[in-house]
């Protein structure tokens, strides 16, 4: 039960990150949120894992460079900017579909373990759910100040989901080479931060006034995103995978959209209509269906249910 609780708490945190980022966007630009969040997370990872990761071959550095650029810089920048245009509910639901893109990309690269009739059925159902959520959050019945340009925001969120799939495939390669999670995550964070610096110089804009920047609400949200969501959750997720197995642990990920939608309605006052609920149900059902065939295969063979590293692919917040 302890490890089930860890898995649940972890996905609850990741579901809340969309809401936390949305709150910070009232005071900070998307680029500043990205930079400051990962400065905090990188510092925390140094405390958790102070030693340097030793590369087995120098050319492996390019994998960490690509992972930092895709999974930290591009993914979170697209997610943060998406949240300036659409609701946290829509962004959370759309980005949660990234495992589907991961499976497709892995199949293109030769790993077809997750591709079967159940996957295509689940993919179709999940995509229908994403369309329903996107239309509902941009329609008159769900008009809200949090969605200034929902079509653009939803498109950016969909792009972020694909970018995360690219990151997941790269991280799988890093994991296959035998690099441990904390050390490799810290190295990925380093390269991601390095690529964020030019974006800060060009697009971040001025920081808010000190009386705004140091408001308790903002400090707590940065601590939550950097210390809890970015550093601690990367560390504790591996324990759940180790003790429960990837098949059981992965099912908890599908709770992220529901947690985001509920928290968005309660904390941000975002609309949660019957149409949005229908889209949410379709998306989660599609995600579960897409894993049905590969989960059965994993139970027989002992292989992972997804082509990407279980300890990394789940962090969608």
């Amino acid at each position: 039960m302890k490890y089930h609780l860890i898995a649940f708490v972890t996905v609850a945190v990741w579901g809340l990150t969309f809401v936390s980022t949305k709150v910070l966007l009232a005071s900070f630009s998307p680029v500043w949120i990205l930079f400051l969040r990962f400065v905090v997370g990188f510092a925390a990872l140094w405390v958790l894992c102070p030693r340097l990761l030793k590369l087995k071959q120098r050319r492996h550095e390019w994998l960490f460079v690509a992972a930092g650029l895709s999974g930290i810089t591009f993914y979170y920048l697209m997610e943060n900017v998406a949240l300036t245009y659409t609701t946290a509910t829509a962004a959370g639901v759309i980005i949660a579909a990234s495992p589907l893109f991961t499976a497709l990309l892995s199949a293109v690269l030769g790993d077809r373990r997750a591709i079967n009739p159940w996957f295509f059925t689940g993919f179709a159902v999940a995509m229908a759910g994403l369309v329903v959520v996107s239309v509902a959050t941009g329609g008159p019945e769900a008009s809200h100040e949090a969605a200034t340009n929902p079509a653009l925001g939803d498109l950016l969120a969909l792009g972020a989901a694909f970018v995360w799939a690219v990151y997941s495939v790269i991280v799988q390669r890093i994991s296959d080479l035998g690099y441990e999670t904390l050390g490799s995550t810290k190295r990925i964070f380093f390269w991601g931060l390095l690529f964020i610096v030019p974006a800060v110089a060009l697009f971040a804009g001025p920081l808010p006034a000190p009386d705004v920047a140091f408001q308790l609400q903002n400090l707590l949200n940065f601590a939550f995103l950097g210390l809890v969501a970015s550093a601690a959750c990367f560390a504790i997720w591996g324990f759940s995978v180790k003790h429960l197995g990837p098949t059981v642990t992965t099912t908890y990920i599908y709770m992220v959209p529901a947690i985001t939608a509920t928290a968005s309605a309660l904390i941000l006052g975002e609309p949660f209509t019957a149409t949005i609920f229908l889209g949410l149900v379709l998306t989660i059902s599609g995600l579960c269906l897409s894993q049905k065939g590969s989960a059965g295969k994993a139970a027989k063979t002992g292989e992972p249910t997804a082509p990407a590293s279980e300890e990394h692919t789940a962090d969608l917040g």
Side-chain angles (χ1 to χ4, degrees), residues 96-105 115 119 122-124 126-127 130 165 283 286-287 290-291:
S98 63
L100 300 175
F101 294 107
T102 303
L104 286 174
L105 183 58
I115 303 300
F119 172 82
F123 186 89
M127 288 300 107
L130 298 188
T283 302
L287 290 171
S290 72
Q291 290 290 310

Side-chain angles (χ1 to χ4, degrees), residues 39-179:
V39 165
V40 174
F42 184 63
L45 285 174
W46 265 110
V47 174
L48 291 171
C49 182
R51 68 184 182 281
L52 290 173
L53 182 70
K54 185 177 180 180
L55 295 179
K56 299 178 180 181
Q57 295 184 32
R58 296 183 66 177
R59 63 187 178 88
H60 291 169
E61 190 72 81
W62 290 107
L63 290 172
F64 292 95
V65 171
L69 182 62
S70 59
I72 304 300
T73 307
F74 283 163
Y75 169 77
Y76 283 102
L77 185 58
M78 294 177 75
E79 177 190 300
N80 288 1
V81 175
L83 286 169
T84 66
Y85 294 109
T86 192
T87 62
T89 299
V93 173
I94 292 170
I95 291 176
S98 63
L100 300 175
F101 294 107
T102 303
L104 286 174
L105 183 58
S106 296
V108 171
L109 297 175
D111 186 348
R112 295 179 173 81
R113 285 177 294 172
I115 303 300
N116 53 65
W118 284 111
F119 172 82
F120 289 109
T121 302
F123 186 89
V125 173
M127 288 300 107
L130 298 188
V131 171
V132 170
V133 170
S134 180
V135 172
T137 53
E141 66 170 342
S143 60
H144 190 266
E145 61 181 5
T148 59
N149 190 342
L152 177 58
D154 294 347
L155 185 62
L156 285 168
L158 191 65
F162 177 77
V163 169
W164 189 261
V166 174
Y167 166 77
S168 299
V169 171
I170 296 170
V171 165
Q172 175 62 55
R173 175 59 177 158
I174 292 173
S175 179
D176 290 344
L177 292 171
Y179 291 106

Side-chain angles (χ1 to χ4, degrees), residues 254-287:
Y254 303 141
M255 297 173 61
V256 170
I259 292 170
T260 300
T262 303
S264 299
L266 294 176
I267 299 173
L268 301 176
E270 291 185 1
F272 191 69
T273 64
T275 308
I276 293 175
F277 178 74
L278 172 62
L280 183 64
V281 170
L282 286 172
T283 302
I284 296 175
S285 299
L287 290 171

Side-chain angles (χ1 to χ4, degrees), residues 195-219:
F195 287 118
I196 293 169
V197 171
V200 171
L202 294 173
F203 308 114
L207 278 167
D211 61 323
V212 175
F214 292 101
Q215 287 178 355
L216 181 60
Q217 173 182 271
N218 290 334
L219 294 176

Side-chain angles (χ1 to χ4, degrees), residues 20 24 28 32-37 40 213 217-228:
S20 183
L24 286 171
F28 294 84
W32 274 123
I33 295 173
L34 174 62
F35 178 72
L36 294 174
R37 169 184 177 171
V40 174
Q217 173 182 271
N218 290 334
L219 294 176
L220 290 176
N221 275 289
F222 273 120
F224 173 73
L225 291 173
L227 297 177
V228 181

